[in-house]
Amino acid sequence: MRIFDPHIHMTSRTTDDYEAMFAAGVRALVEPAFWLGQPRTSPESFYDYFDSLLGWEPYRAAQFGIQHFCTIALNPKEANDPRCMPVLDELPRYLAKDRVVAVGEIGYDSMTKEEDEALARQLQLAIEHELPALVHTPHRDKEAGTRRTLDVVRESGIAPELVVLDHLNELTVSMVLDSGCWAGFSVYPKTKMSEDRMVRIIQEHGSDRVLVNSAADWGRSDPLKTRKTGLAMLAAGFAADEVDKVLWRNPVAFYGQSGRLDLDPVLDEPKPDESATYQGNSIKRGGE
Ligand SMILES: [Zn+2]
């Protein structure tokens, strides 16, 4: 089973996770920029984080045979902190980088007017940079939040096939698929979706424009939920080809729209480059 996890926060995970993910079939992933739990107090700490998503973390993933791509954005929660808003002005510098395959994660947390502004501005950045957008839906009041998110996406003028709305459930899947956007599902151990609920959604709605992710981060989560969903699909009678579509071809098709998803052949064994050393990377800022 070859797996592309389209949403996972490896910065918060260990090398044991990378090893287990490789053994489970994960060969590529996308790490969206997000909230680190501890609120940031200045834009500079975002830039160091973005640099690490573009340098250190792909280097770390490569040691375990996994290709690492990322999405860059000001996350919805921190859009409410005026100290963080200047990040929006620096995003174009990052969105130009090769391993950035989308703008994200953007969207709503508490649906404030600051979040409105950050979401609308970042959808425009996606249009300007011809990138897909990864849009997170709020955990509270999900139905109303998803409906409002779809309105903002429509008003932005971005092509719906360039947008994935993530963290969906049974109540929000239809409106998203009807809109022409992609439908993302985060399979978590306790909250959000389970693998069995995911199987039922695919039975009912089909697998077109469906992405399944672990969204594993610093909370209780499981980086192997993608594989567990694949196994649940097989147990429910889906063909291996259908599992491959959901866990590999769909995320490749979605992020491939960036024109930057340069995938190496899938390997059976990790082939880390032992001679590789991390040189650090830092994107020049300040108008030069
Ligand atoms: Zn996330």
Side-chain angles (χ1 to χ4, degrees), residues 61-132:
Q63 305 306 303
F64 299 91
I66 296 178
Q67 296 176 77
H68 181 289
F69 301 90
C70 70
T71 77
I72 295 286
L74 170 62
N75 65 85
K77 201 173 177 87
E78 288 178 298
N80 293 300
D81 187 334
R83 293 174 298 185
C84 300
M85 282 303 247
V87 169
L88 291 176
D89 299 323
E90 293 289 337
L91 289 178
R93 229 176 269 284
Y94 287 95
L95 297 178
K97 304 307 277 186
D98 280 348
R99 303 193 79 85
V100 178
V101 292
V103 175
E105 35 191 310
I106 52 177
Y108 284 119
D109 181 57
S110 311
M111 295 197 268
T112 61
K113 91 177 190 323
E114 289 76 15
E115 292 173 25
D116 273 331
E117 190 200 327
L119 174 55
R121 272 183 69 184
Q122 294 186 97
L123 285 170
Q124 289 312 313
L125 284 174
I127 293 171
E128 285 162 24
H129 292 261
E130 298 179 342
L131 285 172

Side-chain angles (χ1 to χ4, degrees), residues 143-206:
E143 251 186 291
T146 303
R147 196 162 292 120
R148 183 157 153 194
T149 305
L150 284 172
D151 287 341
V152 177
V153 166
R154 216 169 286 125
E155 283 160 21
S156 77
I158 192 170
E161 65 269 20
L162 283 172
V163 178
V164 58
L165 265 68
D166 213 338
H167 313 315
L168 300 182
N169 60 22
E170 292 83 351
L171 298 175
T172 51
V173 52
S174 294
M175 67 173 107
V176 172
L177 286 175
D178 290 348
S179 75
C181 294
W182 288 66
F185 298 87
S186 302
V187 182
Y188 266 164
K190 290 264 189 296
T191 53
K192 298 179 190 161
M193 297 300 303
S194 68
E195 42 273 58
D196 291 334
R197 283 168 62 195
M198 191 64 239
V199 165
R200 284 195 292 276
I201 285 181
I202 297 172
Q203 283 168 335
E204 199 172 320
H205 298 273

Side-chain angles (χ1 to χ4, degrees), residues 9 12-13 34-37 188-189 214-223:
H9 301 287
S12 307
R13 312 299 307 192
F34 83 139
W35 182 53
L36 290 175
Y188 266 164
S214 70
D217 57 14
W218 35 253
R220 183 171 292 161
S221 47
D222 177 356

